[in-house]
Amino acid sequence: DADVTQTPRNRITKTGKRIMLECSQTKGHDRMYWYRQDPGLGLQLIYYSFDVKDINKGEISDGYSVSRQAQAKFSLSLESAIPNQTALYFCATSDFTSGRPQETQYFGPGTRLLVL
Amino acid sequence: GESVGLHLPTLSVQEGDNSIINCAYSNSASDYFIWYKQESGKGPQFIIDIRSNMDKRQGQRVTVLLNKTVKHLSLQIAATQPGDSAVYFCAEKRNSGNTPLVFGKGTRLSVIA
C-alpha cells in the first residue's frame, strides 16, 4: 500500500551496529505499529503507538526501541543488532479517531534486514 | 491461552476448486475479525472483515463465516485461482479500543494448476 512507506526496503548490517528503520504514512491515521516476521512464521508485535505521545511495548520489544516523531512517522531502532534479529519488518497503521468500531490495520511493504 | 490459531498450516487446492481456510480464536470478548493475504515478499493486505454481530459476510469471491459458539472463523475462496496462492492470516480485535489486533500464525495456500 503506497500510503504506508518503509525505508530502507533492504538492509545488511553487522553485529553490534545501531540501525534505524523508518515508516511514514499519508493515511492520516493516528495509530502505528511495528511487526517482525521470521521466515515461514507469523507476525510478532514489537511496539505500537496510539498517538504521538503514546508508546507501548509489544510481545518482543527487547533489543528494540521506537520513536514517534510525528503523527505520520514512526521509526524502529535496533540498538545493537544481533544475527537473530534478521527478519522482515513491517510497519502498519490504523485509524481509531473516526470512531468506527472496526479498526483495520494497513501494512507497509516491509524492510528485509540481514544482520551478519 | 489467549491466542488466535489456525487448524491447517498448509493447504493445497486445485485451480477452480473452492478453498476453506480455518481459524480458531480463544477470546470470547473479541468483537472484530479480519482476514489478510500476504503474497511472497509483500506486506499483508486486507481481504475482508466481519463484526461479531454478524455470522457471514461476502466479498468478491470470498466469504467469511463466524461461529461465536465454538469461536471459529473461516475464509472461503470460490473458484480458487493461481493468484490466490499466498499466506492467509486471521486477526482478532479484543473488545477494547486500546489493544492491537492479535494475529494468527497463518496458512499457506498453494493453488495447483
Side-chain angles (χ1 to χ4, degrees), chain B residues 85-113:
Chain B
S85 293
V87 176
Y88 291 81
F89 294 97
C90 64
E92 64 175 315
K93 179 74 171 174
R94 306 288 165 81
N95 190 19
S96 164
N98 291 324
T99 57
L101 289 175
V102 176
F103 285 84
K105 295 191 185 301
T107 292
R108 181 175 299 280
L109 176 65
S110 294
V111 181
I112 304 167

Side-chain angles (χ1 to χ4, degrees), chain B residues 32-47:
Chain B
Y32 177 57
F33 304 87
I34 307 174
W35 280 101
Y36 284 90
K37 173 185 180 182
Q38 185 179 24
E39 296 175 277
S40 182
K42 297 183 179 180
Q45 292 183 301
F46 171 88
I47 302 174

Side-chain angles (χ1 to χ4, degrees), chain A residues 21-32:
Chain A
L21 309 183
E22 299 190 10
C23 177
S24 294
Q25 52 113 347
T26 59
K27 300 180 81 68
H29 288 175
D30 51 323
R31 297 184 166 188
M32 299 185 74

Side-chain angles (χ1 to χ4, degrees), chain A residues 6-95:
Chain A
Q6 293 183 234
T7 56
R9 294 295 313 278
N10 295 278
R11 178 74 184 267
I12 300 174
T13 192
K14 295 181 179 179
T15 297
K17 295 291 187 180
R18 183 179 188 275
I19 67 162
M20 180 182 292
L21 309 183
E22 299 190 10
C23 177
S24 294
Q25 52 113 347
T26 59
K27 300 180 81 68
H29 288 175
D30 51 323
R31 297 184 166 188
M32 299 185 74
Y33 311 80
W34 275 105
Y35 290 89
R36 167 181 171 156
Q37 186 176 39
D38 293 287
L41 299 180
L43 297 163
Q44 294 177 285
L45 183 63
I46 307 172
Y47 271 97
Y48 60 102
S49 169
F50 283 167
D51 64 43
V52 175
K53 296 180 181 179
D54 176 76
I55 300 290
N56 303 281
K57 292 183 178 181
E59 309 167 61
I60 55 163
S61 59
D62 287 349
Y64 302 94
S65 62
V66 292
S67 175
R68 185 83 184 266
Q69 301 97 320
Q71 185 185 36
K73 296 184 183 297
F74 192 37
S75 60
L76 175 72
S77 294
L78 282 67
E79 300 302 324
S80 179
I82 56 177
N84 77 359
Q85 291 178 311
T86 293
L88 193 54
Y89 290 85
F90 289 104
C91 174
T93 73
S94 67
D95 177 20

Side-chain angles (χ1 to χ4, degrees), chain B residues 10-14 19 80 82 84-86 88 108-112:
Chain B
T10 60
L11 178 65
S12 294
V13 176
Q14 285 290 136
S19 302
T80 311
D84 295 326
S85 293
Y88 291 81
R108 181 175 299 280
L109 176 65
S110 294
V111 181
I112 304 167

